[in-house]
């Protein structure tokens, strides 16, 4: 867009944010600031929709009509500001007298629109201003229906926390869970069911939620809704059971592998793989849930212990013949275990839930209502933690906390990796690769040749079937762990090279600070992996728990 190119009318000037052009139309050409285009939209509508704060401030100073509605949907400028998620403009309009209770021709009010467009902070703002959480549009839809329809779990939880009726039906007799299922949204369905939504309730056409899933062949939802009624085991019992399975399955598999002939051992190995996939999934089989699953963590602990057992009781020759190497290897393992324990139980960088914090939810809502802040100064509010989210933070549904510079939730430690633990995770990742690399050559040297001779690598590997089966199977396990550690190191390199977290690299479009009019842009990438690494891991001048703006020089 050429900023110097003349615009055709005041509406185009407002859309493009050309304040001087808007002033020229109003002051020189005497165009009314309340004039409407062919669809009945005013310049204020367009300025609000495109977040042109300076143009909005100018039009408000001229006393423009805040209650003007367009001819298509009878939307006010406030409605359009809510659509665009312009929190600062919403506050300005309400401060000047805009009516947040006005509904358009479909019965959509500000809260409905915030739910439709996924603006959680604005939804919280309007709830705080007294808009009923169960307000309905002309089709009987409450905001919770729209949150379910759009698969917006944070909004679902916000409305439920404000006592929304989880089973409220619209004019078709459909509750929010019906809409979540018919749109194929597993996350929204699970959130509603966990909140007590009745899946045995029929709509006006006598259809259950599962009937909607069957009509569209939504297999995941069919399995979920079918399985939900089967499980009545408490979370504590299921958690303990999964932890026990994480210990028992590797132990019994190892005992079977070293005791049985190869034609029996291979099916046991396949069974272990199938059980690992099954038990590492949702805590309740068939049910989508964010509850922590300890199976992977305890499996990793047990496998590590079995490898240590094989090393000390089957590879003692390595310690006798390579004492220095053995000491280094054992020392690195002790350091790695210490790092793993630290990562499992350390605070990864949780955002404090301090009501006195400058960006606590109450203060953020006050910033909006005052209508004086710039859009970039108003953070999004996590409606679970009730705190403003700093840049590069996100809410972990397993830990149930917001984490600064959240990289990912690690199943191996059953804890998040974030601002305070990212450097520990990097060290442990590199150390894990070094340990597996060393263990690979230790095991290769321990593979027995026939009659004590050397039959080459593959010959020794085949001979290990019958001579030292425990070494053979630990060797296969080491291959898998080595490949996994190589992948983890490569991922760390990619993240540090771009100054991005794992979550950010997987879905950069989900983070507003990466989006711009020119497409995806990374404001944190300095172009140097050294400076990027310093900024992410050890720059004491950057506190990611309080970083609400992109730091200068980053």
């Amino acid at each position: 867009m050429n900023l110097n190119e003349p615009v055709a009318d005041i509406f185009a000037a407002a859309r493009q944010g050309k304040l001087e052009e808007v002033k020229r139309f109003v002051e020189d050409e005497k165009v009314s600031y309340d004039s409407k285009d062919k669809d009945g939209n005013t310049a204020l509508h367009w300025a609000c929709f495109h977040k042109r704060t300076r143009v909005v401030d100018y039009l408000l100073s001229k006393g423009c009509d805040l209650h003007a509605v367009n001819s298509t949907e009878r939307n006010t400028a406030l409605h359009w500001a809510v659509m665009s998620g312009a929190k600062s403009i919403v506050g300005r309009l309400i401060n000047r007298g805009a009516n947040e209770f006005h509904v358009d021709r479909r019965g959509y009010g500000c809260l409905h629109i915030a739910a439709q467009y996924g603006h959680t902070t604005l939804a919280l703002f309007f709830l705080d201003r007294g808009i009923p959480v169960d307000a309905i549009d002309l089709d009987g839809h409450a905001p919770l229906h729209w949150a379910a329809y759009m698969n917006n779990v944070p909004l679902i939880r916000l409305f439920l926390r404000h006592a929304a009726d989880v089973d409220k039906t619209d004019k078709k007799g459909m509750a929010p869970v019906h809409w979540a299922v018919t749109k194929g949204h597993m996350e929204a369905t699970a959130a509603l069911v966990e909140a007590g939504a009745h899946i045995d309730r029929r709509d006006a056409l006598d259809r259950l939620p599962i009937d909607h899933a069957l009509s569209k062949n939504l297999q995941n939802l069919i399995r979920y809704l079918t399985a939900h009624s089967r499980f009545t085991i408490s979370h504590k019992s299921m958690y303990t059971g999964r932890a026990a399975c994480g210990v028992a399955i590797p132990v019994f598999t190892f005992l079977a592998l070293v005791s049985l002939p190869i034609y029996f051992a291979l099916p046991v190995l396949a069974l272990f793989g199938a059980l690992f996939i099954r038990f590492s999934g949702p805590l309740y089989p068939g049910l989508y849930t964010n509850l922590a699953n300890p199976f992977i963590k305890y499996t990793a602990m047990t496998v590590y212990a079995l490898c240590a057992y094989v090393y000390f009781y089957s590879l003692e020759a390595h310690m006798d013949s390579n004492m220095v190497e053995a000491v280094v290897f054992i020392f690195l393992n002790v350091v790695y275990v210490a790092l793993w324990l630290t990562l499992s139980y350390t605070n990864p960088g949780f955002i404090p839930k301090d009501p006195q914090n400058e960006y606590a939810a109450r203060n953020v809502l006050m910033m909006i209502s005052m209508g004086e802040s710039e859009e970039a100064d108003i953070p999004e509010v996590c409606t679970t933690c009730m705190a403003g989210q700093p840049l590069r933070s996100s809410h972990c549904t397993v830990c149930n906390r917001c984490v600064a510079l959240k990289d990912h939730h690690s199943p191996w430690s059953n804890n998040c990796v974030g601002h305070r633990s990212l450097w520990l995770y990097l060290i442990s990742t590199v150390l894990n690769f070094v340990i597996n690399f060393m263990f690979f050559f230790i095991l290769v040297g321990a593979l027995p040749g026939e009659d004590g001779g050397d039959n080459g690598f593959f010959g020794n590997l085949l001979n290990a079937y019958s001579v030292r089966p425990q070494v053979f199977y630990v060797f296969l396990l080491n291959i898998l762990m080595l490949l996994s550690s190589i992948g983890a190191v490569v991922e760390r390199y990619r993240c540090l090279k771009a100054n991005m977290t794992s979550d950010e690299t997987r879905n950069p479009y989900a983070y507003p600070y990466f989006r711009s009019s020119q497409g995806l842009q990374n404001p944190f990438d300095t172009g140097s992996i050294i400076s990027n690494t310093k900024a992410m891991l050890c720059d004491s001048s950057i506190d990611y728990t309080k970083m609400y703006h992109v730091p200068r020089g980053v």
Side-chain angles (χ1 to χ4, degrees):
M1 181 180 67
N2 185 356
L3 295 178
N4 297 318
E5 182 180 345
V7 292
D9 51 39
I10 190 173
F11 312 112
R15 278 196 302 270
Q16 298 171 21
K18 295 183 176 180
L19 178 59
E20 295 305 318
E21 287 292 296
V22 173
K23 288 181 177 180
R24 179 177 65 82
F25 281 113
V26 173
E27 298 173 8
D28 298 341
E29 300 189 16
K30 306 303 180 184
V31 175
S32 171
Y33 39 75
D34 287 330
S35 58
K36 297 184 176 183
D37 62 14
K38 60 182 179 63
D39 294 319
N41 300 306
T42 65
L44 184 62
H45 278 85
W46 289 113
C48 289
F49 188 78
H50 291 277
K51 300 184 179 180
R52 307 302 186 186
T53 306
R54 293 172 63 234
V55 175
V56 170
D57 286 339
Y58 172 75
L59 294 172
L60 291 176
S61 70
K62 290 294 183 180
C64 61
D65 184 4
L66 295 172
H67 306 295
V69 297
N70 58 25
S71 54
T72 52
E73 297 293 331
R74 299 195 59 78
N75 292 134
T76 64
L78 177 60
H79 287 158
W80 279 33
V82 177
M83 290 178 193
S84 67
K87 299 184 288 293
S88 63
I89 293 177
V90 166
R92 284 167 163 80
L93 296 176
I94 291 178
N95 254 332
R96 294 298 185 99
N99 181 12
E100 65 261 49
F101 293 93
H102 174 82
V103 297
D104 64 15
R105 74 177 185 88
R106 300 175 190 266
Y108 301 157
C110 289
L111 190 57
H112 291 94
I113 296 171
Q116 292 164 0
Y117 286 83
H119 300 310
T120 308
T121 302
L122 284 176
L124 177 63
F125 174 74
F126 288 118
L127 287 170
D128 188 65
R129 290 189 65 86
I131 295 181
V133 69
D134 283 328
I136 60 172
D137 58 27
L138 296 184
D139 292 317
H141 301 132
L144 184 59
H145 285 88
W146 285 108
Y149 184 88
M150 302 304 296
N151 199 31
N152 193 313
V153 175
L155 271 175
I156 289 173
R157 290 176 176 155
L158 171 65
F159 294 143
L160 292 174
R161 194 176 298 113
H162 282 76
D165 183 357
V166 72
D167 289 318
K168 190 177 184 64
T169 57
D170 59 19
K171 288 187 175 180
K172 295 181 179 179
M174 295 176 65
V177 69
H178 286 90
W179 282 109
V181 171
T182 198
K183 297 302 294 183
H185 298 324
M186 173 63 81
E187 295 87 349
T189 301
L192 291 165
V193 172
E194 288 175 6
H198 290 85
I199 58 175
D200 56 352
R201 180 158 296 184
R202 298 179 181 273
D203 61 18
L205 296 178
D206 200 36
R207 295 174 300 182
L208 295 167
I210 196 171
D211 295 327
H212 291 270
L214 288 168
S215 68
K216 297 188 176 183
N217 195 30
L218 302 172
Q219 291 299 320
N220 286 341
L221 282 165
I222 292 171
R223 286 193 293 269
Y224 175 84
L225 295 170
T226 302
H228 185 269
S229 60
R230 299 201 309 258
F231 290 95
T232 57
I233 305 174
S234 70
H235 175 220
K236 182 178 180 180
S237 299
M238 187 63 77
Y239 186 96
T240 304
R242 284 295 179 91
C245 288
V247 175
I249 291 174
V251 170
F252 286 117
T253 301
F254 179 78
L255 293 175
L257 292 178
V258 300
S259 305
L260 297 174
I262 186 62
Y263 44 83
F264 286 122
L266 289 180
V268 171
L269 195 61
L271 177 63
F272 171 76
L275 289 174
F276 182 84
I277 294 173
R278 178 67 171 175
F279 283 98
S280 60
L283 188 62
Y284 293 85
L287 298 185
Y288 180 92
T289 176
N290 290 318
L291 295 174
N293 183 358
F295 177 76
I296 294 179
K297 177 179 178 178
Y298 281 86
T299 299
M301 292 167 56
T302 307
V303 168
Y304 197 89
L306 289 172
C307 289
Y309 170 81
V310 170
Y311 178 76
F312 283 108
Y313 289 95
S314 299
L315 302 176
E316 64 276 1
H318 174 257
M319 290 183 282
D320 296 335
S321 60
N322 301 277
M323 179 59 69
V324 175
E325 183 180 282
V327 170
V328 172
F329 181 69
I330 293 172
F331 173 76
L332 292 179
N333 275 274
V334 170
V335 173
Y336 179 74
V337 170
L339 286 172
W340 176 79
L341 289 171
T342 304
L343 285 168
S344 296
Y345 299 104
T346 193
N347 178 347
F350 293 132
I351 306 299
K353 295 182 178 180
D354 182 5
Q356 304 303 318
N357 187 293
E358 178 185 359
Y359 291 101
R362 175 58 55 189
N363 295 334
V364 173
L365 298 183
M366 184 65 68
M367 292 171 66
I368 297 175
S369 63
M370 290 176 66
E372 298 174 356
S373 302
E374 294 299 320
E375 189 66 27
D377 295 330
I378 306 176
E380 288 296 322
V381 172
C382 172
T383 55
T384 299
C385 298
M386 293 305 289
Q389 288 184 319
L391 294 181
R392 312 195 75 176
S393 69
S394 60
H395 186 83
C396 175
T397 55
V398 179
C399 296
N400 202 31
R401 290 289 298 273
C402 284
V403 181
L405 195 65
K406 178 175 175 285
D407 190 83
H408 67 289
H409 184 90
S410 172
W412 305 107
S413 62
N414 204 18
N415 196 9
C416 272
V417 176
H419 165 49
R420 293 184 179 176
S421 59
L422 192 56
W423 66 279
L424 289 171
Y425 180 75
L426 175 63
I427 295 173
S428 69
T429 299
V430 175
L431 192 57
N432 186 37
F433 166 73
V434 173
I435 290 171
N436 283 309
F437 190 72
M438 290 182 67
F439 199 34
F440 173 81
F441 285 101
I442 292 172
L443 290 168
V444 168
L447 292 175
E450 188 174 0
D451 299 326
D454 186 359
N455 302 315
F457 172 73
F458 290 104
N460 292 342
L461 184 62
L462 292 174
N463 189 51
Y465 274 145
S466 55
V467 180
R468 306 180 80 180
Q470 69 274 25
V471 175
F472 171 76
Y473 288 114
V474 168
F475 178 79
L476 293 183
L477 190 61
N478 172 255
I479 294 292
L480 296 176
M481 292 191 297
L482 182 59
L483 293 175
S484 175
S485 65
I486 291 173
V489 170
V490 171
E491 183 184 26
R492 282 302 96 204
Y493 172 78
R494 288 178 57 245
C495 290
L496 292 174
K497 186 173 184 294
N499 197 343
M500 296 173 72
T501 66
S502 295
D503 286 353
E504 289 171 346
T505 57
R506 292 188 188 104
N507 186 16
Y509 289 97
Y511 301 90
Y513 44 81
F514 287 139
R515 300 194 299 263
S516 70
S517 57
Q518 287 77 40
L520 284 177
Q521 290 187 340
N522 186 352
F524 306 104
D525 185 9
T526 63
S528 165
I529 189 172
I530 296 176
S531 56
N532 283 344
T533 301
K534 177 184 176 184
M536 290 192 77
L537 303 181
C538 53
D539 191 340
S540 59
S541 66
I542 303 176
D543 184 353
Y544 286 98
T545 64
K546 299 177 181 178
M547 191 180 78
Y548 293 91
H549 308 91
V550 178
R552 293 180 181 177
V554 174

